[in-house]
């Protein structure tokens, strides 16, 4: 009886926290570490997903969604990827078509979103779309800004011979909007020589 009461109390505390924080927030068991009972927290989140109170995004990751007239508003793939990376205590960089999309160079939304990671490689299904985490070399994570490594990966995806003045102009505009230009300068010096020649920052 005592255990049941404790589980109910933890369940109520979790619901209270989620309601207090509002919609569009992600949760993992780690967000409730102060309750000092991971197994009950894990079971509670799973039960709340079954009841429809939260949505299970991937193993161990839940979302308290905003409700619209068309049903719950789902997060972007990048938001999900960032949340999973945070849970894994790893870094991610959008790669390939995903990088082109994030930088506004392509409006095509890839069905398979690829991210380089310094954490565990894995594949996650998100409705009809797939998130792929590919393990990458430490060098890719030596960049200090968020945007510059995406620019490097986008240019590699396009291919040196296919890069136009228009593409370079768009990327320079994106980079000029970065608040910390010292990080951009640092990252520029790390880039492959052919990319430095194209960008000429």
């Amino acid at each position: 009886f005592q255990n049941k009461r404790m589980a109910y109390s933890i369940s109520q505390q979790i619901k209270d926290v989620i309601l207090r924080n509002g919609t569009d927030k992600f949760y993992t068991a780690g967000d409730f570490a102060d309750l000092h009972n991971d197994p009950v927290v894990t079971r509670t989140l799973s039960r709340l997903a079954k009841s429809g109170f939260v949505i299970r995004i991937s193993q161990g990751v839940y979302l308290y969604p905003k409700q619209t007239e068309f049903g719950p508003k789902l997060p972007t793939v990048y938001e999900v990827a960032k949340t999973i990376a945070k849970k894994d205590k790893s870094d991610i960089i959008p790669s390939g078509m995903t990088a082109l999309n994030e930088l506004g160079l392509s409006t095509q939304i890839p069905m398979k979103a690829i991210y380089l990671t310094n954490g565990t490689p894995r594949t996650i299904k998100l409705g009809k779309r797939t998130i792929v985490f590919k393990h990458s070399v430490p060098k890719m994570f030596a960049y200090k800004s968020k945007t510059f490594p995406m620019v490097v990966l986008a240019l590699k995806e396009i291919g040196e011979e296919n890069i136009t003045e228009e593409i370079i102009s768009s990327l320079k505009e994106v980079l000029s909007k970065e608040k910390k230009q010292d990080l951009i300068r640092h990252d520029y010096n790390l880039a492959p020589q052919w990319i430095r020649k194209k960008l000429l920052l």
Side-chain angles (χ1 to χ4, degrees):
F1 177 73
Q2 185 68 28
N3 280 352
K4 263 190 170 179
R5 201 165 66 183
M6 185 179 75
Y8 172 76
S9 164
I10 286 178
S11 174
Q12 197 52 53
Q13 286 179 70
I14 288 171
K15 274 187 97 165
D16 289 347
V17 167
I18 291 172
L19 286 167
R20 196 163 58 240
N21 289 344
T23 56
D24 285 340
K25 298 279 191 306
F26 291 96
Y27 294 95
T28 67
D31 292 312
F32 303 96
D34 57 319
L35 297 175
H36 307 294
N37 200 330
D38 275 4
V40 172
V41 169
T42 301
R43 283 200 301 275
T44 300
L45 286 169
S46 179
R47 205 163 51 243
L48 291 174
K50 279 179 187 150
S51 71
F53 180 72
V54 292
I55 294 175
R56 182 179 179 273
I57 294 294
S58 77
Q59 191 176 352
V61 179
Y62 299 87
L63 168 77
Y64 182 50
K66 191 176 200 169
Q67 295 294 340
T68 72
E69 57 183 305
F70 307 109
K73 174 178 166 275
L74 292 175
T76 67
V77 166
Y78 196 18
E79 284 169 338
V80 173
K82 283 192 289 188
T83 302
I84 292 166
K86 187 179 168 191
K87 179 177 178 272
D88 288 352
K89 297 183 172 63
S90 61
D91 301 304
I92 58 167
I93 308 166
S95 178
M97 283 301 297
T98 312
L100 295 179
N101 195 259
E102 288 293 331
L103 292 166
L105 293 178
S106 169
T107 52
Q108 193 182 333
I109 297 173
M111 292 308 286
K112 188 184 278 188
I114 298 172
Y115 296 89
L116 300 188
T117 181
N118 53 7
T120 312
R122 59 166 84 182
T123 299
I124 290 153
K125 280 282 186 195
L126 189 65
K128 290 179 181 174
R129 297 184 67 192
T130 307
I131 302 175
V132 178
F133 291 105
K134 280 187 175 179
H135 192 75
S136 184
V137 292
K139 189 180 175 185
M140 272 314 300
F141 295 92
Y143 293 104
K144 290 187 176 176
S145 72
K146 282 184 180 173
T147 311
F148 204 93
M150 269 199 277
V151 167
V152 169
L153 291 167
L155 289 173
K156 284 183 176 179
E157 175 71 13
I158 295 164
E160 188 174 354
E161 65 287 351
N162 300 319
I163 294 162
T164 63
E165 283 301 319
E166 193 184 352
I167 289 168
I168 293 298
S169 173
S170 295
L171 289 176
K172 280 186 168 182
E173 192 180 340
V174 168
L175 290 170
S176 72
K177 287 176 183 167
E178 280 286 316
K179 284 180 185 150
K180 296 185 176 174
Q181 284 298 313
D182 54 326
L183 298 188
I184 297 297
R185 281 192 295 277
H186 167 276
D187 290 354
Y188 175 75
N189 291 323
L190 291 183
Q193 190 180 5
W194 70 268
I195 287 178
R196 292 203 304 272
K197 274 185 176 175
K198 290 280 184 191
L199 287 171
L200 287 174
L201 295 182

